[in-house]
Amino acid sequence: MKEALVSVIVPVYNVGAYLQQCLQSIASQSYAHLEVIVVDDGSTDDSGNIADEWASHDNRFRVVHQPNGGLSAARNTALDHATGRYVTFVDSDDFIAPQYVEVLCQLIQESRAQAALCGWHLYADGDAVPKPDDASHSRTYTAAEAANHIFYQRKGLTQSVCARLYDASVFRDVRFPVGMLYEDLAVLMPVMQNSQTVAFTPQRLYYYRQRQGSIITTFNSRRAHILDILEDLERRAPHEFPQHLKAIRSRLLSAYFNMLRLAPLHDEQFAPITTRSWEGILRLRRSCFADGNVRLRNKVAIILSLLGRTVLTHTLHCF
């Protein structure tokens, strides 16, 4: 296990307040055979200097400086430079437990899977850092089972590419779409199609930092990218991956509900998104209600939708 090189990909943009903790957590891994590829995506703060300082005293670190192109562009650059047998993504405001790489390396090799996933902690500034979980029972899925698990939003597996270790071969012909939000969801099917099995341990070894004002905590028109991605998957599914069509529709319905919940009330600039979402709900609610795998909260929202758009929207805004 110790002989396999692991490429740790860290895209960086203006995270000087958090980058030191992130890179320290990587440098302190119990699994030492790493190459850490830090892509400074046009930062205007001291992030690039922090990364360069790490590279100057730890030869496992390499820094690539490039003009700002967004998260996807930074990850793609790192993938182009990666030479490891395995690859893992760590966002630059997050951090990982000391045994993160070791546990996932052991899991991916013992299960002969193409991806090994772990649990995670949500972390906010000022919180005490929870101790990593002890070893616990792992589970192996087929790639098709894992994809449906994610689309149906069952507990455990998520669409994020973080908190997991991949066999580098699954990204050989896969890159993230530049300029889009929800880029992790956009590469989910190509990655799963390049995989046979996925292993999961509920050990929480990854720490997601919750930051006010981050892209994912604010609402703007780019949030509708998730509808573009899922509607495209729904169009393609009958011919390319019919076994996932129902699950994709379930995830798409969730996205429609979420758009109505998040879009500011009475703000006309978001009317195209909310109208699109309401029309999508009307289209999907019957088939999704009949699907026994659709989660309960979606079915409750479907029932609320029968009372009309206004009642549904105002109710969603209460949660």
Side-chain angles (χ1 to χ4, degrees):
M1 182 179 68
K2 295 294 185 182
E3 295 179 355
L5 180 64
V6 174
S7 299
V8 183
I9 289 175
V10 186
V12 170
Y13 178 71
N14 287 354
V15 286
Y18 309 110
L19 186 57
Q20 193 72 245
Q21 183 181 25
C22 174
L23 299 184
Q24 181 64 63
S25 74
I26 296 169
S28 301
Q29 289 296 293
S30 57
Y31 189 103
H33 196 30
L34 309 174
E35 64 169 10
V36 186
I37 305 171
V38 182
V39 179
D40 172 27
D41 191 46
S43 296
T44 57
D45 67 355
D46 61 346
S47 297
N49 292 332
I50 293 171
D52 287 337
E53 176 63 23
W54 273 97
S56 72
H57 69 257
D58 190 328
N59 61 15
R60 298 175 300 171
F61 283 71
R62 287 190 285 151
V63 183
V64 180
H65 298 277
Q66 66 181 31
N68 180 250
L71 176 59
S72 290
R75 285 177 174 171
N76 291 343
T77 294
L79 284 169
D80 292 340
H81 284 78
T83 63
R85 176 72 177 84
Y86 301 109
V87 61
T88 188
F89 299 89
V90 180
D91 284 348
S92 52
D93 53 352
D94 298 336
F95 55 100
I96 52 180
Q99 68 270 43
Y100 169 83
V101 174
E102 182 177 1
V103 168
L104 291 183
C105 260
Q106 184 172 355
L107 180 58
I108 200 172
Q109 293 184 352
E110 289 180 349
S111 62
R112 298 186 179 182
Q114 286 69 52
L117 291 61
C118 69
W120 66 93
H121 288 284
L122 294 178
Y123 176 81
D125 290 340
D127 289 351
V129 178
K131 292 183 179 180
D133 297 337
D134 294 330
S136 53
H137 181 68
S138 61
R139 177 178 175 183
T140 301
Y141 302 84
T142 67
E145 288 172 340
N148 273 353
H149 196 108
I150 292 167
F151 285 128
Y152 276 123
Q153 299 172 281
R154 294 172 184 154
K155 186 176 180 180
L157 307 188
T158 71
Q159 67 200 37
S160 174
V161 297
C162 297
R164 59 196 64 192
L165 182 78
Y166 296 94
D167 188 299
S169 64
V170 305
F171 278 98
R172 185 178 298 116
D173 57 354
V174 176
R175 291 297 183 269
F176 295 90
V178 175
M180 292 192 76
L181 295 187
Y182 305 98
E183 64 287 328
D184 295 358
L185 184 60
V187 301
L188 174 61
M189 282 309 303
V191 166
M192 289 300 178
Q193 288 175 311
N194 286 346
S195 306
Q196 288 77 48
T197 56
V198 173
F200 172 72
T201 173
Q203 283 183 263
R204 293 181 291 177
L205 304 171
Y206 191 98
Y207 298 86
Y208 281 107
R209 189 184 301 272
Q210 304 295 288
R211 285 196 290 148
Q212 290 298 318
S214 65
I215 293 174
I216 209 65
T217 60
T218 56
F219 192 88
N220 58 57
S221 59
R222 295 180 67 210
R223 295 292 290 270
H225 288 174
I226 192 171
L227 305 184
D228 299 333
I229 293 166
L230 288 166
E231 287 172 352
D232 178 63
L233 287 173
E234 185 192 20
R235 283 191 294 269
R236 292 163 49 204
H239 306 290
E240 297 183 34
F241 27 82
Q243 71 274 31
H244 299 304
L245 178 59
K246 288 184 178 181
I248 289 168
R249 284 177 170 163
S250 173
R251 184 66 184 85
L252 178 55
L253 182 68
S254 283
Y256 288 140
F257 285 137
N258 209 35
M259 291 300 103
L260 291 185
R261 183 179 69 86
L262 294 174
L265 290 170
H266 313 304
D267 192 331
E268 287 303 311
Q269 69 174 309
F270 300 120
I273 296 174
T274 55
T275 297
R276 175 183 179 183
S277 298
W278 174 246
E279 292 173 351
I281 290 166
L282 295 180
R283 179 174 63 84
L284 293 180
R285 66 184 179 183
R286 181 184 295 272
S287 62
C288 285
F289 194 79
D291 183 353
N293 290 308
V294 171
R295 59 183 184 168
L296 179 60
R297 68 172 62 183
N298 276 1
K299 294 198 173 184
V300 171
I302 289 170
I303 293 171
L304 284 171
S305 74
L306 299 176
L307 301 176
R309 176 175 174 174
T310 300
V311 171
L312 173 65
T313 301
H314 281 82
T315 304
L316 291 174
H317 270 265
C318 293
F319 297 94

